[in-house]
Amino acid sequence: MRPCSRSACTAEAVATLTYDYADSMVVLGPLAFRAEPHAYDLCARHAERTSVPRGWQVVRHAPIGGAPASPR
């Protein structure tokens, strides 16, 4: 089990968030196979509540076998 990267959260991570600063984009997808130093593993609650800076784009990938991601 990998814990959520958010401070004081001990829930199990289910998604991985990465930033693409050059394109002002955030990618949120299924949990990566292994922890990466420049990615953030998030629990379901924090993945759903993730917000990005104004003007940035969010790309949400649905988990394999899961329901399609809701557009934001």
Side-chain angles (χ1 to χ4, degrees):
M1 178 190 116
R2 290 198 323 245
C4 181
S5 296
R6 296 293 301 258
S7 298
C9 183
T10 59
E12 182 176 356
V14 297
T16 298
L17 179 138
T18 55
Y19 289 99
D20 181 346
Y21 293 99
D23 291 327
S24 299
M25 182 184 309
V26 172
V27 179
L28 185 62
L31 187 63
F33 290 111
R34 62 179 175 261
E36 298 291 335
H38 300 290
Y40 300 90
D41 296 333
L42 300 175
C43 66
R45 182 173 63 112
H46 286 120
E48 180 62 32
R49 293 181 174 185
T50 296
S51 61
V52 299
R54 187 179 309 226
W56 282 50
Q57 179 182 359
V58 179
V59 176
R60 292 180 185 263
H61 294 282
I64 295 172
S70 59
R72 298 242 174 207

